[in-house]
Amino acid sequence: MARSTCSDLEDLEEMLRRKKEKRIELLRRIHTVRSKKKCVYQRNKTITELQSLWMHRYKQSDARRRLAISNYLKEENDLKMVEADYEKLKQINVLQDVFHIWYRGSFATFNGLRVGMCVATPEESSNQSAVFSNNLFWTNNNVGLTNKFENAVPWHEINAGVSMIALLMQNIQKKLRIQHQSRYIILPRGSTTRISSRKTKQEWEMFHQPSTFQFFARRNWNAALNILGFCLFEIVKELSSHIDGSRVQLPYDIVLGDDWSNERIGCVKVGSLDMAFNGDGIQW
């Protein structure tokens, strides 16, 4: 009986020991599972945060992409409009639009200013001429001419027209890049335009106002006109070299006299008429 009791106690102790070991093992496993669960939770939290950050950045990137596409389409449309405007502008001749060359009756006009003649027949005389004839400045400074010609074009109108011609020629020189190669320098200054020699720096007035002492004033004026004709000859020569050596066809030939060598100022003829004013208003 005593042996049986001892054996049972040993069995119970062995069972208890195994149970304790099993409990320890289970507690260890529980701790391991809890640790893994905590890691998984942290990973899930990190993944959720990253997903949220990714979605936020994706939405920002998508918004920027949509804005970029919208700006691109807008810029593309603007580019098409600019190209269309550019094509239109390419068809515009700026010099032709700014400098309007036409005629009125027997008069050549430059931006509406009569140029080329000093006399108008009564039927060609405009209301503007009547206004000029009533102007004290015009009356006092043109006694000789008004006595000779009743419907004379005012000199200040001619001066303004010639100055516009000089401005046009200067712009053509710039466009052809011959401004610094020409023998003379055109100095546009409104109705008091001048032209000077590049070598000697001498200046000639490209405006004229008849007075009692007309000889030197007219000589200065005629020299300026001949020089302007020489500059026109240079432009035509340069243009001919730009069109495969072909000669530019002008309505009237520009002919230089024999006196243009050695910096001398010679005569210039357009057709058969002198550029210089010889006092014959009907012919000039």
Side-chain angles (χ1 to χ4, degrees):
M1 186 69 180
R3 288 179 181 177
S4 177
T5 303
C6 288
S7 178
D8 291 339
L9 286 172
E10 288 177 358
D11 291 339
L12 288 172
E13 287 177 355
E14 180 65 24
M15 184 182 298
L16 181 62
R17 186 182 61 77
R18 288 197 299 269
K19 292 291 184 183
K20 284 181 179 179
E21 289 177 356
K22 189 173 183 179
R23 179 177 176 274
I24 291 170
E25 178 66 21
L26 289 172
L27 288 174
R28 187 182 64 78
R29 289 181 179 180
I30 289 171
H31 178 72
T32 303
V33 169
R34 285 178 177 175
S35 297
K36 290 181 177 180
K37 181 180 178 181
K38 187 177 180 181
C39 289
V40 169
Y41 174 78
Q42 289 293 337
R43 289 180 180 178
N44 286 338
K45 184 179 179 181
T46 302
I47 290 172
T48 303
E49 290 176 351
L50 290 174
Q51 284 180 336
S52 177
L53 179 62
W54 180 85
M55 286 299 297
H56 176 69
R57 291 182 177 177
Y58 171 77
K59 290 179 180 179
Q60 286 184 331
S61 299
D62 187 61
R64 286 196 293 267
R65 181 184 66 84
R66 292 175 183 272
L67 180 62
I69 292 174
S70 176
N71 290 336
Y72 171 78
L73 294 175
K74 179 178 178 299
E75 294 298 332
E76 187 178 34
N77 186 53
D78 290 344
L79 178 61
K80 290 180 180 178
M81 294 178 63
V82 169
E83 287 178 344
D85 291 340
Y86 175 68
E87 290 299 324
K88 291 180 181 178
L89 288 173
K90 284 171 65 176
Q91 306 302 320
I92 296 175
N93 187 327
V94 177
L95 295 180
Q96 183 174 339
D97 287 352
V98 174
F99 302 99
H100 183 258
I101 302 173
W102 200 239
Y103 66 92
R104 180 161 26 128
S106 300
F107 295 92
T109 60
F110 205 95
N111 286 351
L113 300 166
R114 292 170 291 179
V115 180
M117 294 177 66
C118 284
V119 171
T121 58
E123 59 271 15
E124 291 171 343
S125 180
S126 64
N127 293 332
Q128 188 179 9
S129 299
V131 173
F132 287 141
S133 64
N134 293 328
N135 186 291
L136 290 177
F137 175 82
W138 163 246
T139 304
N140 294 336
N141 289 279
N142 295 275
V143 176
L145 267 174
T146 51
N147 289 338
K148 187 175 182 180
F149 305 116
E150 293 182 358
N151 297 302
V153 177
W155 273 105
H156 42 273
E157 183 177 352
I158 296 174
N159 292 337
V162 172
S163 70
M164 294 299 294
I165 295 173
L167 180 60
L168 171 60
M169 290 178 60
Q170 186 204 45
N171 278 276
I172 295 175
Q173 285 180 337
K174 288 181 179 179
K175 195 172 184 66
L176 295 175
R177 298 184 178 180
I178 60 172
Q179 185 183 17
H180 301 293
Q181 302 172 14
S182 176
R183 188 190 298 184
Y184 298 97
I185 305 172
I186 299 174
L187 305 170
R189 297 172 184 171
S191 295
T192 58
T193 295
R194 287 174 167 79
I195 193 164
S196 70
S197 169
R198 186 178 300 278
K199 184 176 181 180
T200 65
K201 307 302 181 184
Q202 181 181 354
E203 290 189 2
W204 295 268
E205 297 174 346
M206 293 195 64
F207 55 92
H208 183 54
Q209 188 63 50
S211 61
T212 305
F213 304 99
Q214 291 190 22
F215 177 74
F216 294 105
R218 180 177 294 179
R219 186 173 66 177
N220 195 1
W221 159 256
N222 284 336
L225 288 177
N226 283 320
I227 293 172
L228 190 66
F230 180 81
C231 291
L232 180 59
F233 179 82
E234 288 182 326
I235 290 172
V236 173
K237 184 178 179 181
E238 182 67 19
L239 284 172
S240 297
S241 67
H242 280 264
I243 52 177
D244 301 328
S246 302
R247 185 171 178 272
V248 176
Q249 297 296 323
L250 298 176
Y252 302 98
D253 290 333
I254 301 174
V255 181
L256 300 183
D258 299 328
D259 303 329
W260 284 98
S261 59
N262 300 323
E263 299 296 327
R264 295 183 60 185
I265 301 173
C267 63
V268 178
K269 289 189 176 184
V270 179
S272 60
L273 300 179
D274 289 329
M275 285 281 292
F277 177 67
N278 57 8
D280 186 354
I282 296 176
Q283 188 180 42
W284 190 75

